[in-house]
Amino acid sequence: MSANAVDCRSALYMPASVEKVLAKGPDCAADAVILDLEDAVAPEAKEQARKQAVDALSRFDYGYRVRALRINAADTHWHAQDVAAVASCRPDAVVLPKVESADDVRALSRALDAYPDTGDIAVWAMMESPLAILNAASIARCVQECPRLSMLIVGSNDLVREAGMPMSQDRTLLIPWLMTLVAAARAHGLQILDGVFNDFSDNAGLENECRQGVAMGMDGKTLIHPAQIAVSNRLFSPAPEAVEEARAIVEAFQDPINAQAGVVQIRGKMVERLHLAMAEQVLSRASRLADRD
């Protein structure tokens, strides 16, 4: 899978049934494009959408963007053909909806293993139900035997619907469930993308939810409209003040005077050497994203 997945600030869902939308994927500013065969496609359009997705992923150059394909769930009669389509066009990642157990990830991994030259296709697991929340730790842990698994994706719309929970503007009642997913991802070295914000005309609301996602430790956000990309990219990038602080930490520990120091004083704060690696990661990520943007 593309190494750019570690810098996935924005992942834009694109309905594979709409050919003119797919044509815009290679030029959009999102870090990942998710060609969608599932929720965005009506049952009667599934076959045509699959053909169009395979054509787009095989024909277009997406540059730095992670190329992902969201297939239909394992309990649908479209699933097997979708997996075959994944094997034929070889996206960077396949998004598996309705994941509720580690067995769901294992089954898809085995199905992909049956095809040649699919070893570098990652699996992104969508967490969309109360059972997925309860099983989050075991789902994330299965990366030990299914190294394809690299990402958890919050399916917030289905999650609140199945829970009978209203979606409040601040997501107060949903936060404990979201933090459970973040903890599972971090415990097992996975990335995690926040769920979609449905009102693409509400930039202020999107900005608030992105800030909340950053505070919770999310890596980026899934999006439903290109108008949401700029906000997500900006807020899930290292903030200028964070970059400045990271640079100061690196420079302080590079000073020969501090060569053996475990702790240094920077701008009135005591900074331990363990923060040096974190600062170096911030600067490295900021540099990669600056080249991209």
Side-chain angles (χ1 to χ4, degrees):
M1 188 187 67
S2 170
N4 291 333
V6 301
D7 294 320
C8 190
R9 304 163 296 177
S10 54
L12 178 65
Y13 288 113
M14 310 186 79
S17 55
V18 185
E19 204 165 8
K20 66 179 181 181
V21 171
L22 295 183
K24 298 177 181 179
D27 298 314
C28 78
D31 292 328
V33 291
I34 303 175
L35 280 60
D36 192 8
L37 300 178
E38 196 216 10
D39 283 349
V41 180
E44 62 273 14
K46 296 284 189 183
E47 185 174 349
Q48 183 62 27
R50 188 186 302 116
K51 292 178 181 177
Q52 291 177 176
V54 169
D55 177 69
L57 290 168
S58 302
R59 183 161 55 93
F60 294 144
D61 181 359
Y62 289 84
Y64 63 81
R65 298 162 192 83
V66 179
R67 304 149 50 250
L69 181 65
R70 178 161 75 164
I71 62 177
N72 288 281
D75 61 355
T76 68
H77 64 271
W78 301 293
H79 180 77
Q81 288 179 289
D82 288 350
V83 174
V86 170
S88 70
C89 64
R90 295 177 60 188
D92 298 310
V94 53
V95 178
L96 180 63
K98 311 297 189 291
V99 173
E100 293 190 324
S101 73
D103 286 341
D104 296 332
V105 176
R106 295 187 188 103
L108 177 58
S109 186
R110 287 194 300 269
L112 290 172
D113 288 344
Y115 292 91
D117 302 321
T118 60
D120 59 349
I121 300 175
V123 171
W124 293 2
M126 290 203 68
M127 313 292 277
E128 306 180 76
S129 70
L131 187 55
I133 303 301
L134 293 175
N135 289 336
S138 62
I139 291 170
R141 190 183 305 119
C142 83
V143 68
Q144 297 171 6
E145 57 189 287
C146 297
R148 292 181 185 275
L149 181 63
S150 66
M151 183 86 75
L152 301 183
I153 301 180
V154 177
S156 45
N157 284 335
D158 283 312
L159 190 55
V160 296
R161 176 180 57 80
E162 290 205 18
M165 181 189 301
M167 177 67 89
S168 62
Q169 189 72 12
D170 59 5
R171 301 195 295 184
T172 300
L173 300 179
L174 190 61
I175 287 175
W177 293 17
L178 298 178
M179 291 306 302
T180 297
L181 295 179
V182 172
R186 292 293 173 258
H188 298 285
L190 303 179
Q191 301 287 299
I192 181 167
L193 296 179
D194 201 357
V196 300
F197 183 76
N198 295 310
D199 187 354
F200 59 82
S201 66
D202 181 5
N203 274 349
L206 173 64
E207 181 155 336
N208 287 337
E209 197 162 288
C210 285
R211 291 186 186 280
Q212 184 187 64
V214 170
M216 287 190 289
M218 301 283 185
D219 293 293
K221 194 162 184 66
T222 49
L223 311 172
I224 60 171
H225 195 279
Q228 299 176 317
I229 296 172
V231 171
S232 187
N233 281 352
R234 172 169 55 86
L235 292 176
F236 280 97
S237 296
E241 55 270 24
V243 174
E244 181 183 353
E245 181 179 2
R247 188 171 291 115
I249 291 172
V250 170
E251 290 174 353
F253 280 103
Q254 286 177 340
D255 190 323
I257 296 175
N258 299 321
Q260 303 301 319
V263 179
V264 298
Q265 181 177 315
I266 303 175
R267 299 172 184 173
K269 294 190 292 186
M270 302 307 294
V271 178
E272 298 180 31
R273 185 167 287 276
L274 65 88
H275 294 110
L276 175 59
M278 298 168 60
E280 290 171 338
Q281 290 174 359
V282 169
L283 294 181
S284 177
R285 185 164 189 257
S287 177
R288 291 194 304 270
L289 294 175
D291 290 342
R292 181 180 305 177
D293 292 339

